[in-house]
């Protein structure tokens, strides 16, 4: 168990220090903002969607280590995925961080490091903020997403 949490820490810290795809995205045709007032996390997500597939994705924002790492790993994971695949991963990820049993497929890959979040209910919103923001971007809703 302690090895798992070490891995979790290591991946989260790495993505927090060097967030991947941390930039505005030129040519993005979807964009949404998310805000988690409980922690102060803010994220802007940029998506370039072509034929229902995420061809490019990036983010900007500021927040705690978990929200930043979650956004960073989300952008890495979703590049090249279809909208349906993204929705499925959102459902699985939500189950994972809220401590529900998660089926073996689809493979969560690096997203699995957030399993430890289920032990810290206050952190669940930090981890899921960017996912709610993604859904808003894909649904083309314009308002700022709040986890409250
Ligand atoms: Zn947070």
């Amino acid at each position: 168990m302690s090895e798992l949490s070490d891995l979790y820490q290591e991946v989260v810290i790495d993505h927090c220090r060097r967030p991947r795809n941390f930039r505005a995205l030129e040519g993005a045709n979807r964009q949404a903002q998310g805000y988690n007032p409980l922690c102060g996390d803010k994220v802007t997500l940029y998506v370039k969607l072509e034929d229902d597939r995420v061809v490019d994705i990036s983010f900007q924002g500021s927040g705690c280590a978990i929200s930043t790492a979650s956004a960073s790993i989300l952008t890495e994971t979703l590049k090249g995925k279809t909208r349906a695949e993204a929705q499925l991963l959102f459902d699985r990820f939500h189950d994972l961080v809220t401590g529900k049993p998660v089926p073996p497929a689809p493979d969560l890959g690096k997203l699995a490091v957030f399993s430890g979040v289920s032990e810290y209910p206050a952190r669940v919103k930090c981890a899921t903020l960017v996912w709610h923001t993604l859904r808003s971007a894909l649904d083309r809703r314009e308002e700022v997403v709040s986890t409250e």
Side-chain angles (χ1 to χ4, degrees):
M1 229 17 228
S2 70
E3 271 172 44
L4 268 183
S5 59
D6 283 353
L7 171 72
Y8 156 74
Q9 291 258 357
E10 219 170 275
V11 174
V12 168
I13 289 167
D14 176 49
H15 277 266
C16 182
R17 284 198 184 136
R18 299 185 300 119
R20 318 302 198 267
N21 308 302
F22 190 83
R23 58 192 158 82
L25 184 61
E26 231 175 274
N29 51 13
R30 301 297 173 95
Q31 184 179 332
Q33 285 178 289
Y35 176 49
N36 172 17
L38 217 62
C39 180
D41 307 315
K42 284 180 187 165
V43 65
T44 303
L45 198 63
Y46 306 89
V47 182
K48 191 175 180 188
L49 199 67
E50 271 174 21
D51 300 326
D52 241 24
R53 189 176 291 276
V54 176
V55 293
D56 208 355
I57 181 167
S58 71
F59 79 104
Q60 288 182 311
S62 61
C64 68
I66 289 176
S67 70
T68 303
S70 182
S72 175
I73 293 172
L74 175 142
T75 60
E76 266 196 335
T77 305
L78 287 190
K79 210 177 276 189
K81 296 275 194 293
T82 64
R83 198 148 53 154
E85 287 168 334
Q87 180 61 48
L88 195 58
L89 281 169
F90 176 88
D91 293 342
R92 294 284 180 273
F93 184 75
H94 200 268
D95 287 347
L96 180 81
V97 297
T98 52
K100 297 199 185 100
V102 179
D107 184 14
L108 283 171
K110 250 185 220 164
L111 296 171
V113 300
F114 291 97
S115 64
V117 169
S118 65
E119 291 166 41
Y120 306 95
R123 290 296 184 184
V124 170
K125 286 176 177 176
C126 301
T128 56
L129 173 66
V130 71
W131 287 88
H132 288 290
T133 308
L134 171 77
R135 192 146 71 177
S136 167
L138 295 181
D139 291 350
R140 226 191 245 287
R141 278 183 274 125
E142 298 292 329
E143 80 269 27
V144 175
V145 180
S146 172
T147 54
E148 285 308 288

